[in-house]
Amino acid sequence: MTPTLRPMLCSEGSTKLLESGNYLFEPKLDGIRALIEKSGTSINIINRRGKIVTYKYPEIVRNINLHAETVVLDGEIVILDGGRPNFYRIEERELISDPLRIEILSELHPATYYVFDILYVDGEPLLSKPLEERKKLLNTIVQPHPRIDLCLYTEDGKTLFNSIKSFNLEGVIAKLKGSPYEPGKRSRYWLKIKNYKTIDTIICGYTYGKGVRSQYFGALVLGLYKGNKLMYIGKVGTGWTELQLKHLVELLKPLQINTPHFDIPYEVIWVRPCLVAVIQYIEWTEDLRLRNPSFKRLRFDKSPEDCRFNGAAITAKR
């Protein structure tokens, strides 16, 4: 089979690209990034961190029909609810390992794998092939099905972005025409154009809840790495449903530690820095704290060590 690969990653882009004729544009899907490797009858689903998660999505494996003996695909696992990605459903799937529960949820809320790239086919590496050639080849390899389909793309970035905004989705990805695939690299060939600002942060602790929040928590304490050290970037106390609060508490309680990560002037229950949260925000303050942060979701396909302070500092100065 092919060498172990990691997905190509995006850099930050701007809305100025939307009317450029040099890019293809795709919606930024709110799901779990994954590679699919097929070798004969064997199928593996591998998340961004290199972990095999095939067992979590049996409905995808059962319905894959690929016209190749061996192939590696790149795409996003998404669960749709009323035509919109529902990350809570994906989060639910990522948190369970019981086979019966997985099977039940695969029927109740089935996932779809949206394919947007192809890396290898029948032993031939495609990494250096132009983007358009890889897209064209996908049409001959992937047999569309409700559980596996091709991600839409267009040259009309402005229209796609306006559609994304009307649904309050996260944004679009601009991919340079003629570009190669760079495994594991945060490349300038692929650029995220966001509808709103988000950042991947590390949950370092939480505060005690009051009133209706007393059984849960008040706010999550957030950090980013700078070198090998965690740096405090503020706390977030909004953005979740009651059900998400319950799930977060269940995840956080077993992670409690006694050693504080930061010296901050309020009482905190500290946790091991192993959970990544996507936070929406307005801007950075002068002392590099998030202004008006709101919790969006957890990320299970990204390592906390990849949540770095340097990128945040650069963003703050722009």
Side-chain angles (χ1 to χ4, degrees):
M1 193 50 187
T2 58
T4 301
L5 294 172
R6 292 294 177 94
M8 180 170 168
L9 305 177
C10 302
S11 296
E12 296 290 331
S14 77
T15 53
K16 294 178 182 179
L17 298 175
L18 293 172
E19 297 185 76
S20 168
N22 298 324
Y23 292 86
L24 299 179
F25 299 90
E26 300 170 358
K28 190 176 186 305
L29 299 172
D30 200 6
I32 295 291
R33 183 77 176 278
L35 300 180
I36 283 186
E37 294 186 346
K38 175 184 183 288
S39 179
T41 58
S42 174
I43 301 287
N44 274 327
I45 303 175
I46 304 166
N47 71 13
R48 177 178 157 179
R49 300 179 71 178
K51 183 178 179 181
I52 294 175
V53 294
T54 313
Y55 69 100
K56 291 183 178 288
Y57 301 99
E59 71 274 36
I60 293 176
V61 176
R62 281 195 297 261
N63 292 291
I64 284 182
N65 186 2
L66 303 174
H67 303 304
E69 184 65 19
T70 64
V71 67
V72 180
L73 304 174
D74 189 3
E76 194 94 359
I77 301 172
V78 176
I79 295 179
L80 296 178
D81 184 3
R84 293 166 53 91
N86 184 329
F87 192 82
Y88 168 72
R89 297 297 182 193
I90 285 285
E91 183 178 277
E92 186 178 26
R93 294 287 286 277
E94 288 291 306
L95 290 172
I96 61 174
S97 57
D98 176 67
L100 179 59
R101 181 69 176 154
I102 288 172
E103 196 63 43
I104 290 171
L105 289 177
S106 75
E107 296 289 336
L108 288 176
H109 308 293
T112 299
Y113 184 67
Y114 285 98
V115 188
F116 47 69
D117 219 320
I118 181 167
L119 285 59
Y120 283 78
V121 62
D122 291 334
E124 179 188 359
L126 305 172
L127 305 177
S128 62
K129 298 287 186 183
L131 174 65
E132 295 93 322
E133 285 190 30
R134 303 197 307 271
K135 290 282 193 186
K136 187 176 180 179
L137 184 57
L138 278 175
N139 286 300
T140 69
I141 298 293
V142 178
Q143 179 65 46
H145 183 278
R147 304 283 68 83
I148 178 170
D149 206 349
L150 298 175
C151 181
L152 72 87
Y153 66 93
T154 178
E155 294 185 41
D156 188 351
K158 188 173 181 180
T159 297
L160 178 61
F161 190 74
N162 287 338
S163 178
I164 290 295
K165 287 177 67 176
S166 69
F167 284 97
N168 197 31
L169 300 179
E170 192 170 341
V172 302
I173 307 294
K175 298 185 176 181
L176 185 66
K177 292 178 181 178
S179 61
Y181 189 100
E182 300 182 308
K185 183 177 179 181
R186 188 166 296 283
S187 174
R188 294 296 301 175
Y189 292 134
W190 291 7
L191 300 170
K192 290 181 288 188
I193 305 172
K194 293 182 178 180
N195 179 28
Y196 44 75
K197 294 179 182 178
T198 62
I199 186 169
D200 298 331
T201 68
I202 304 161
I203 299 176
C204 300
Y206 58 97
T207 64
Y208 288 100
K210 298 179 180 179
V212 294
R213 290 272 196 92
S214 59
Q215 58 183 320
Y216 303 123
F217 57 82
L220 299 176
V221 178
L222 306 174
L224 293 172
Y225 277 107
K226 185 175 184 180
N228 295 322
K229 185 179 180 181
L230 276 170
M231 303 292 288
Y232 175 65
I233 60 167
K235 58 183 178 178
V236 59
T238 187
W240 36 63
T241 65
E242 186 169 348
L243 194 55
Q244 285 175 313
L245 277 173
K246 181 182 177 182
H247 283 169
L248 282 166
V249 168
E250 291 171 352
L251 287 173
L252 291 168
K253 281 188 174 179
L255 302 177
Q256 290 183 20
I257 58 174
N258 294 322
T259 306
H261 297 297
F262 319 117
D263 181 15
I264 47 181
Y266 52 86
E267 191 172 4
V268 176
I269 302 165
W270 301 102
V271 299
R272 287 192 289 115
C274 57
L275 291 178
V276 175
V278 181
I279 304 298
Q280 182 177 332
Y281 67 103
I282 299 298
E283 60 183 358
W284 288 86
T285 64
E286 290 186 2
D287 58 349
L288 293 178
R289 304 287 187 261
L290 296 178
R291 190 186 300 278
N292 294 348
S294 178
F295 177 87
K296 291 293 291 181
R297 59 180 176 88
L298 294 175
R299 281 198 71 165
F300 298 97
D301 61 346
K302 184 169 184 176
S303 167
E305 289 73 23
D306 290 333
C307 299
R308 315 298 303 180
F309 189 77
N310 290 340
I314 292 169
T315 303
K317 294 174 184 177
R318 286 179 180 172

